[in-house]
Amino acid sequence: MTYRIIFFLFFILSLSGLNVAGQKDWSLKSDKDGISIFTKDLTDSKFKAIKVECELPVSLTQLVAVLMDVNTAPQWVYATKSCVLLKQVSPAELYYYSEISVPWPASNRDFIARLVVTQDPRTKVVTIWGPTYPEYLPAKKDIVRVSQSEGKWVLTPVGKNRVKVEYTLHADPGGNIPAWLVNMFATKGPYESFRNLKEQLKKPAYVNARLSYITD
């Protein structure tokens, strides 16, 4: 089993499966390049939850613009083969489909997710929820559908053009992947994706972005 599937299955852009609040304590597993990654055991799952924290020198608008630009996710989300917008419900809500590349002999994974952005008008804190909707489209042959996946981004402005990011996730990748193997590499995928995210944010399309539903 190659590490590549392990790397990505703990960083699905759709933001995965169960409520991780209030269950035991987070344990710091990695802290480098300004990216801190924590894991936590859950009482109702054999897979660990993860949390990523970092600060980015960007505006809220820049960051939300990248996260909602789902068609470009293959440029920065590790091991994403494709990512396609399915329905734009409103400027702050959409549905999309993504396929994850997994080397042979394992099967590729796919998922359908909904992203919803809200902003507190007083604090300006932005929250992005991303539950999966496995029945939104028929399953594809030879691709394993990720059915349990949900989490959230909490984006807190901490100064002019500076945002604190907290990302939490719990996912069940489905199929016959040993939980101990997934858990062993739970920090690698998020680190690679967040490092790529830093570069993605520098692109002119996002630096100059304007979103009607976000106030910086």
Side-chain angles (χ1 to χ4, degrees):
M1 174 68 69
T2 175
Y3 295 164
R4 190 177 179 186
I5 182 174
I6 307 304
F7 294 169
F8 183 78
L9 291 176
F10 266 85
F11 193 84
I12 298 175
L13 185 58
S14 66
L15 315 171
S16 68
L18 302 175
N19 183 0
V20 300
Q23 300 188 56
K24 300 184 180 179
D25 294 324
W26 292 104
S27 176
L28 180 64
K29 296 299 182 181
S30 175
D31 188 4
K32 59 180 178 178
D33 298 330
I35 302 168
S36 300
I37 302 173
F38 306 79
T39 65
K40 175 164 60 174
D41 293 323
L42 302 179
T43 57
D44 51 2
S45 176
K46 60 186 178 180
F47 296 99
K48 293 180 183 292
I50 67 163
K51 179 173 68 170
V52 184
E53 293 182 348
C54 70
E55 287 192 11
L56 298 173
V58 298
S59 68
L60 286 169
T61 297
Q62 278 177 267
L63 187 48
V64 174
V66 170
L67 298 179
M68 294 297 281
D69 190 5
V70 294
N71 290 326
T72 63
Q75 299 175 14
W76 66 276
V77 182
Y78 194 84
T80 298
K81 179 179 180 179
S82 66
C83 199
V84 180
L85 176 67
L86 297 176
K87 182 179 181 180
Q88 188 81 47
V89 180
S90 72
E93 180 181 355
L94 58 81
Y95 289 81
Y96 72 98
Y97 169 87
S98 187
E99 182 179 347
I100 307 157
S101 295
V102 179
W104 186 90
S107 299
N108 280 6
R109 263 63 176 170
D110 70 2
F111 63 91
I112 299 96
R114 174 189 180 209
L115 291 181
V116 182
V117 182
T118 60
Q119 184 175 33
D120 186 305
R122 182 179 62 84
T123 65
K124 297 185 179 180
V125 172
V126 173
T127 302
I128 305 176
W129 292 94
T132 52
Y133 287 78
E135 307 301 324
Y136 192 96
L137 293 175
K140 296 183 178 182
K141 183 180 180 180
D142 299 325
I143 298 179
V144 176
R145 176 66 47 86
V146 175
S147 60
Q148 297 182 36
S149 174
E150 184 183 324
K152 67 177 180 179
W153 299 82
V154 178
L155 315 178
T156 304
V158 292
K160 184 174 175 58
N161 291 330
R162 192 158 192 87
V163 178
K164 178 182 177 181
V165 179
E166 180 179 290
Y167 171 76
T168 53
L169 167 69
H170 176 268
D172 184 337
N176 298 316
I177 301 174
W180 66 266
L181 186 57
V182 174
N183 291 332
M184 183 182 297
F185 297 99
T187 63
K188 186 83 175 188
Y191 170 75
E192 295 292 339
S193 292
F194 266 75
R195 189 174 66 172
N196 293 339
L197 174 59
K198 289 182 177 182
E199 295 304 311
Q200 188 76 357
L201 285 160
K202 297 176 183 177
K203 294 184 177 181
Y206 307 117
V207 172
N208 301 316
R210 296 292 182 269
L211 300 176
S212 61
Y213 55 96
I214 297 296
T215 300
D216 287 313

